[in-house]
Amino acid sequence: MTTTADDAAREKSPLPAGETGISFARPPSDGTEEAARRAVLRATDHLLARQHTGGWWEENFGTDVSYDAHDLFLRHLLGVLDERVAVASGRWIRSQRSADGSWPLVFDGAGHLGTTVQAYVALRLAGHRPDEEHMLRSAARVRELGGVAAAPLEARMWLAMLGLWSWDDLPEVPPEIIALPKWAPLNIYSFGFVMRQALVSLSIISAHRFVRPVPFGIDELSAPSDGTDAALRTPAPVFGWEGLFRRANTALRAYRRVTPRPVRRTATRAGARWLVERQETDGSFGACTPITTWVVIALHLQGYSTDHPVLQAAFGFLDDCASWPADGVRKLQTVHGPVWDTCLSVTALRDAGLPAGHPALVKATDWLLTRQTDRPGDWAVRRPRLAPGGWSFQFHNQNYPDLDDTSEVVLALLRVDHPEPARVDGAVRRAARWCLGMQSANGGWGAFDADNTSSLPSKLPFFDFGEYCADQPTADVTAHVVEMLAALGMERDPATRRAVRRLLGQQEDSGAWSGRWGVNHVFGTGSVLQALAAAGTPGDHPAVRRAVAWLTSVQNEDGGWGEDWESYADPEHLGRGSSTPSQTAWALLGLLAAGEHDSDAVRAGVRRLTDRQTDAGTWEEPQFTGVLVPRAVACRYGYYRHVFPLMALARYAHRPGPEDVR
């Protein structure tokens, strides 16, 4: 894969003549500031032109090709695979292949075994022969990476359903887990929301041991030691979590053989009911394609035919998430993210100086107000008396609002002059009350739940996601909520002060903070510095100084910042990587919040962004700087390259004068 970005600095066209109403309080101090102002005006015009007529902004949300493969697997398993869809999806999957024959998790990343195995099998379903040159190379790369037996659990689950792996070599996922009370360890609500819906679905699929064989084998993907899961064939360790759960898995297999059929049938029916109750109005489950795919299979095994309204609606969502970027090419979007894209766009435009009452901002506010959740979701299990009021990432997701979207939406709404202020104020009050009620006992905020901090789910063999099976409070989400509370004048509120203490306690020895939902320490550190400044932490605070020193120390020679996805697994990559527009902007936003406007580091970062702005007014960024599950699922937010550079340059260009300094 290659980038289309032009890394060479080039002369910019004259300032746009748009009627945005943006003005600057004083003349530019030098050429760097003048270039920043020109870039802000171009980026503003670019972003305004991209607003949907309905008021929102949205661009493609991309991940690796695993989910494109899952879509083909699903359609085969249900007997509805259309040749046109298979061939077109195969073209997309093949186009994302690296030169060595593998498929990575991220742009220009190392080959990932699980993704490569699934992509290869999907191409076989799409009609590619194993003796074709590109397939031979991919099969060889799978063997080099360890073969099918070394692939992550998710890949082998799919292979088992396709008749290419034995269910006996997979961990048991008992459907009776649905009956565990909410206070019991390892009940379904001790998992994060994505893992929760996947767990219930997998428990049903595992109970049925569903197989619909494909008309081919994959012996060519087997390394010499393949054939069984060696880890399950060796004796379980006497001590430790691995040994405990290995022995539990053996017991569950024995339990499977003696479980009365009525008990198992009751459990799978209860799981199916639980899933159906969480279908969104757009037909999705979890408002994303991977979870919808798992749920559709589980419900089909429970007797839901492909023409049942529940499955018809689900397929409608999956089809809606498919795009055809070229003739005969089909790719699947993992999730729609208009709420996130819209609130960040509003904030970026207000940073740029767009008047608060501009029609585009009012229209965006009108749309955002229609997206606020008005009924309890799974979060209410831990907060049953808390009234709803959050926002979700997607068009339709009443069950799983999140603290990140909610805080950023409020920050955007507070900066718009809307003709119905009482309507906006009511929505903001509901959101603030919900956020305060979702604070965890340790002072921080997770993304979807409060106090979802059990370490037990990470020990189970059901997933390969480690500590990310739960929804631990994180520095980045906590920082965004703190920033929101400060904007509401609550910087001295006990909840805010407790959260600030939590953030200060999470700072790493290097001076950085890790990022859960953006890659990685550059994102976390930039987010926390903005929150600390908003909450009144002085710029000379030792924690702020240490963070500034760290950001400055990892700045690239070209003036930008970047951090490789591998930093989640290898500390050598922390803060290190090729410069990207979004990560450069994150670092600049943090440094500007810390009072570093006139530093050499900030000026170099600003020049990096202004030099790399395209003539269209945006930036090119093929890299994946977003995260769904660290070390497992990366993502590319299409709008990050638009909004964050605009925010950073705007906050630099609107230089604070002496009268603005507190």
Side-chain angles (χ1 to χ4, degrees):
M1 294 181 290
T2 59
T3 176
T4 60
D6 179 4
D7 279 338
R10 55 185 178 273
E11 189 71 22
K12 304 302 178 192
S13 58
L15 283 174
E19 297 180 1
T20 59
I22 294 175
S23 62
F24 298 92
R26 56 190 60 82
S29 60
D30 58 21
T32 299
E33 194 168 299
E34 182 178 8
R37 292 181 179 190
R38 294 166 65 90
V40 166
L41 294 175
R42 285 193 193 87
T44 298
D45 277 1
H46 174 85
L47 196 53
L48 285 172
R50 298 176 69 90
Q51 186 177 25
H52 190 275
T53 56
W56 67 84
W57 280 268
E58 186 201 16
E59 193 168 302
N60 186 269
F61 179 99
T63 58
D64 65 85
V65 300
S66 294
Y67 301 135
D68 296 272
H70 296 177
D71 186 64
L72 294 190
F73 299 161
L74 166 70
R75 293 168 191 273
H76 165 78
L77 292 169
L78 270 61
V80 296
L81 181 58
D82 176 85
E83 183 179 0
R84 175 173 174 263
V85 167
V87 171
S89 297
R91 288 196 183 104
W92 170 252
I93 292 170
R94 182 179 177 181
S95 75
Q96 301 303 294
R97 175 176 169 267
S98 298
D100 69 355
S102 67
W103 280 264
L105 290 177
V106 298
F107 176 83
D108 270 356
H112 183 260
L113 177 57
T115 301
T116 303
V117 168
Q118 292 171 96
Y120 180 93
V121 175
L123 289 184
R124 292 296 310 274
L125 270 178
H128 295 234
R129 300 188 313 276
D131 59 353
E132 294 182 67
E133 188 279 331
H134 65 285
M135 299 294 280
L136 291 170
R137 185 69 197 94
S138 294
R141 188 63 183 135
V142 169
R143 295 192 298 272
E144 291 167 5
L145 291 170
V148 174
L153 178 62
E154 181 184 50
R156 288 180 285 130
M157 284 276 190
W158 282 107
L159 295 181
M161 287 187 278
L162 299 171
L164 301 172
W165 193 258
S166 172
W167 279 103
D168 288 336
D169 290 325
L170 294 171
E172 291 287 328
V173 188
E176 289 79 11
I177 195 171
I178 192 73
L180 288 177
K182 297 167 185 176
W183 51 262
L186 293 176
N187 75 86
I188 61 172
Y189 297 102
S190 62
F191 293 80
F193 110 77
V194 174
M195 310 304 170
R196 188 180 308 145
Q197 291 206 359
L199 176 65
V200 175
S201 301
L202 288 173
S203 73
I204 295 172
I205 296 168
S206 177
H208 287 273
R209 293 200 163 194
F210 178 42
V211 178
R212 188 184 184 112
V214 291
F216 54 81
I218 55 169
D219 290 343
E220 65 272 21
L221 303 187
S222 296
S225 61
D226 271 3
T228 62
D229 188 331
L232 292 177
R233 297 301 189 188
T234 56
V238 176
F239 302 106
W241 289 109
E242 181 186 356
L244 174 63
F245 285 116
R246 289 270 302 280
R247 287 188 288 276
N249 193 63
T250 301
L252 287 172
R253 285 183 175 169
Y255 170 72
R256 153 186 280 281
R257 291 191 289 269
V258 299
T259 304
R261 288 186 179 180
V263 172
R264 180 129 294 192
R265 190 160 51 244
T266 298
T268 56
R269 286 175 178 171
R273 282 196 304 274
W274 186 91
L275 291 170
V276 170
E277 288 168 359
R278 283 154 180 79
Q279 187 170 33
E280 298 292 343
T281 57
D282 63 356
S284 71
F285 294 88
C288 62
T289 57
I291 300 304
T292 301
T293 300
W294 286 113
V295 174
V296 165
I297 295 172
L299 294 180
H300 182 64
L301 294 175
Q302 284 300 113
Y304 287 71
S305 64
T306 55
D307 59 359
H308 189 283
V310 168
L311 295 199
Q312 283 287 296
F315 272 111
F317 170 77
L318 293 174
D319 288 338
D320 182 61
C321 286
S323 63
W324 297 75
D327 186 36
V329 178
R330 177 182 184 269
K331 70 174 181 178
L332 200 66
Q333 183 167 335
T334 309
V335 63
H336 291 291
V339 171
W340 187 243
D341 287 345
T342 301
C343 66
L344 293 178
S345 295
V346 169
T347 296
L349 290 170
R350 286 293 291 123
D351 283 343
L354 197 70
H358 191 283
L361 302 182
V362 173
K363 195 169 189 178
T365 298
D366 284 332
W367 182 78
L368 285 170
L369 292 174
T370 68
R371 300 297 98 188
Q372 190 172 28
T373 57
D374 58 9
R375 62 179 173 82
D378 279 5
W379 55 266
V381 168
R382 287 186 171 84
R383 296 292 187 268
R385 296 181 179 85
L386 182 62
W391 273 269
S392 303
F393 185 73
Q394 305 90 343
F395 283 109
H396 303 283
N397 187 354
Q398 281 282 330
N399 287 297
Y400 300 104
D402 66 271
L403 278 301
D404 227 6
D405 276 275
T406 302
S407 56
E408 292 293 344
V409 168
V410 170
L411 284 168
L413 294 181
L414 290 173
R415 299 181 65 183
V416 177
D417 184 5
H418 193 272
E420 299 178 75
R423 185 176 167 217
V424 176
D425 290 346
V428 168
R429 283 196 302 272
R430 290 190 296 274
R433 183 175 59 241
W434 184 73
C435 288
L436 287 169
M438 292 294 288
Q439 188 172 27
S440 292
N442 62 17
W445 280 271
F448 300 95
D449 290 312
D451 293 316
N452 190 335
T453 57
S454 173
S455 62
L456 286 179
S458 68
K459 313 299 182 184
L460 291 172
F462 301 161
F463 300 107
D464 298 308
F465 300 148
E467 67 268 31
Y468 302 107
C469 285
D471 187 12
Q472 302 278 354
T474 62
D476 45 357
V477 176
T478 300
H480 294 157
V481 179
V482 166
E483 192 176 358
M484 177 206 74
L485 294 174
L488 290 168
M490 299 176 62
E491 61 269 24
R492 298 188 181 279
D493 188 273
T496 308
R497 303 321 303 166
R498 195 154 56 98
V500 169
R501 289 193 296 272
R502 165 77 178 173
L503 288 173
L504 293 175
Q506 287 183 292
Q507 189 174 29
E508 298 180 4
D509 291 341
S510 65
W513 282 269
S514 64
R516 164 64 179 85
W517 297 96
V519 182
N520 172 350
H521 287 69
V522 173
F523 178 69
T525 305
S527 299
V528 173
L529 282 175
Q530 293 175 78
L532 293 179
T537 305
D540 60 357
H541 190 286
V544 174
R545 290 296 95 203
R546 290 170 56 214
V548 167
W550 181 80
L551 279 174
T552 303
S553 73
V554 298
Q555 186 174 23
N556 290 328
E557 290 185 3
D558 61 18
W561 280 265
E563 186 167 358
D564 194 275
W565 161 258
E566 294 298 328
S567 64
Y568 285 107
D570 184 355
E572 291 297 317
H573 290 271
L574 295 183
R576 304 294 181 183
S578 300
S579 296
T580 70
S582 61
Q583 290 168 319
T584 298
W586 295 338
L588 287 173
L589 289 167
L591 291 173
L592 290 169
E596 296 293 306
H597 184 282
D598 295 320
S599 70
D600 291 340
V602 166
R603 290 167 59 82
V606 167
R607 287 193 295 270
R608 171 72 184 183
L609 289 180
T610 58
D611 287 348
R612 296 312 187 267
Q613 189 181 32
T614 69
D615 288 335
T618 187
W619 289 263
E620 297 294 341
E621 184 173 278
Q623 294 89 349
F624 288 40
T625 60
V627 185
L628 292 183
V629 183
R631 301 191 301 270
V633 187
C635 57
R636 177 184 178 271
Y637 292 84
Y639 259 107
Y640 276 15
R641 64 192 175 106
H642 304 311
V643 295
F644 287 114
L646 176 54
M647 286 183 196
L649 291 176
R651 294 182 194 184
Y652 178 82
H654 288 280
R655 167 189 289 272
E659 69 276 12
D660 302 315
V661 178
R662 291 184 293 176

